Amino acid sequence: MPKSKRDRPVTLSKTKKKGREHKESIVNGIREAVERYSSVYVFSFKNMRNIKFKEFRQQFRTNGRFFLGSNKVMQVALGRSASDEIRPGIFKASKLCTLLLTLLLHGDAGLLVTDMPKEEVESLFNAYEDSDFSRTGSTAVETVELKEGPLEQFTHEMEPFLRKQGMPVRLNKGTVELLSDFVVCEEGKPLSPESSRILRLLGIKLATFKLNLVCRWSPSDFELYRQGLDLLDVETS
């Protein structure tokens, strides 16, 4: 008996895996930028928000380029050691990408290549910080607990949805009432999908998107910004 066509799985979306060509374009892009601009900065970030980062990048649109990608790819572009570095001393910035991620355990690093004066770059990075709602799986930075009693911030239509999120609620004369104290999230523990939804409904933003400068390279000097990183570690790693 012929196999029914109805049983065949159908792929609704197709994604092309980024391969060698993509990596080579990043390497070439970084090398071209380093040749064009005078300074290279390594920065770290957590809680990346693409729209917010795009807004931040606009401040460098006329005199700089940002690169976010594989740490190994960035190392290849800059040089892993003094013997294969593309500019004198720039391999230290490459080494710091790896050292930084090892120390942070979690997080990411990127590159900024620019002609903007050092003081202006530092000012823009230090001043930028943006709060946002935490996503599922992220670690809660504080404990949020709701006390027993009426939840007047919610309309009566929300009661069924809140119950689906695990909250012990009922309607009491048209008002949503919490029957007992309820812990939405605990500090240091990952957020569940339900916790993330409740925090958003409460308007509580626990995630902070911030860019932190790690080091700066220029033809004349190399500077560390992040405390706890030893230049000796970079030289010997």
Side-chain angles (χ1 to χ4, degrees):
M1 183 175 180
K3 187 176 181 181
S4 173
K5 293 182 179 180
R6 295 179 182 178
D7 295 333
R8 295 180 181 178
V10 178
T11 302
L12 299 179
S13 62
K14 294 182 179 180
T15 57
K16 188 175 181 180
K17 189 175 182 180
K18 296 178 180 178
R20 184 180 182 85
E21 290 184 1
H22 176 72
K23 294 177 181 178
E24 288 179 349
S25 68
I26 294 178
V27 169
N28 293 332
I30 292 174
R31 289 177 174 175
E32 290 172 3
V34 171
E35 290 295 331
R36 176 180 176 184
Y37 297 104
S38 59
S39 298
V40 178
Y41 294 82
V42 174
F43 62 90
S44 64
F45 59 88
K46 293 186 69 175
N47 300 311
M48 170 59 77
R49 299 295 187 263
N50 291 333
I51 295 177
K52 300 297 182 181
F53 182 59
K54 185 177 181 180
E55 294 173 357
F56 181 77
R57 288 173 58 178
Q58 288 300 306
Q59 300 174 95
F60 298 85
R61 65 184 181 278
T62 59
N63 62 350
R65 289 190 63 184
F66 281 88
F67 296 93
L68 302 178
S70 166
N71 183 48
K72 291 183 178 180
V73 172
M74 289 190 287
Q75 272 199 306
V76 170
L78 297 178
R80 291 191 177 97
S81 65
S83 62
D84 62 356
E85 61 185 1
I86 60 173
R87 297 284 296 274
I90 202 171
F91 85 95
K92 297 173 185 176
S94 174
K95 287 288 187 181
L96 269 171
C97 288
T98 298
L99 181 58
L100 173 68
L101 296 183
T102 300
L103 293 174
L104 290 180
L105 297 181
H106 300 286
D108 297 280
L111 297 177
L112 165 64
V113 191
T114 182
D115 281 333
M116 187 177 288
K118 166 190 168 184
E119 293 75 15
E120 192 171 347
V121 173
E122 293 171 354
S123 177
L124 290 172
F125 271 80
N126 292 335
Y128 186 80
E129 183 175 306
D130 194 87
S131 298
D132 200 356
F133 295 107
S134 297
R135 295 171 176 171
T136 298
S138 61
T139 302
V141 296
E142 64 180 75
T143 297
V144 176
E145 182 177 6
L146 299 177
K147 296 298 182 180
E148 176 185 351
L151 299 175
E152 297 180 353
Q153 64 267 52
F154 299 121
T155 62
H156 66 277
E157 293 95 344
M158 293 294 297
E159 190 266 345
F161 179 78
L162 295 175
R163 275 193 286 109
K164 288 182 179 180
Q165 308 314 307
M167 295 179 64
V169 293
R170 69 175 181 182
L171 281 179
N172 185 2
K173 297 181 180 179
T175 300
V176 178
E177 183 180 32
L178 190 63
L179 300 178
S180 61
D181 293 351
F182 179 75
V183 177
V184 179
C185 62
E186 292 186 59
E187 181 179 356
K189 293 187 177 181
L191 291 178
S192 66
E194 294 78 15
S195 296
S196 180
R197 295 188 195 106
I198 295 171
L199 289 172
R200 184 176 287 271
L201 289 174
L202 293 170
I204 298 176
K205 298 180 178 181
L206 297 182
T208 300
F209 171 44
K210 185 168 177 59
L211 305 165
N212 300 293
L213 288 174
V214 178
C215 69
R216 178 184 64 86
W217 171 92
S218 72
S220 59
D221 65 344
F222 181 82
E223 180 179 1
L224 284 173
Y225 291 105
R226 185 179 175 84
Q227 295 181 352
L229 293 178
D230 192 340
L231 189 57
L232 182 61
D233 295 332
V234 180
E235 301 282 6
T236 58
S237 60

